[in-house]
Amino acid sequence: MPYNLEQIKKEYPWAYAENQNMILGDDIDAIMSACFLHHHFGWKIKGFYVKYNKLFIEKDIEDIKTCIFVDLDIA
């Protein structure tokens, strides 16, 4: 069954929340996704990961569980 926008907003309300903290992947699709989220919702980059085995985060992160990991895998 195809999703419509209202279903997505209802099932994933965090995706529309403003001023979220995000951690990015290390590829162009993650960067493009982050640009969109920052421009439209004010999300802030707080770190990034490299090759799924190294993580770099800002010192002011109190709890990494509050961050959303952003990477649009289009493979």
Side-chain angles (χ1 to χ4, degrees):
M1 176 171 94
Y3 279 95
N4 66 38
L5 187 56
E6 293 307 316
Q7 284 176 305
I8 293 170
K9 286 181 180 179
K10 183 178 178 182
E11 292 184 34
Y12 307 101
W14 56 266
Y16 294 88
E18 294 186 359
N19 302 314
Q20 296 277 9
N21 292 329
M22 61 180 156
I23 307 289
L24 301 183
D26 63 346
D27 52 18
I28 190 68
D29 51 357
I31 293 168
M32 291 174 64
S33 299
C35 289
F36 174 85
L37 293 166
H38 176 72
H39 179 75
H40 288 282
F41 301 109
W43 288 25
K44 296 175 239 41
I45 299 170
K46 294 296 183 174
F48 63 96
Y49 60 90
V50 178
K51 306 276 186 218
Y52 302 104
N53 60 10
K54 292 182 183 176
L55 177 63
F56 300 90
I57 60 172
E58 288 187 2
K59 291 180 181 181
D60 69 340
I61 296 293
E62 294 177 12
D63 185 2
I64 196 167
K65 293 178 185 176
T66 64
C67 295
I68 297 174
F69 284 68
V70 175
D71 190 0
L72 175 65
D73 190 0
I74 58 174

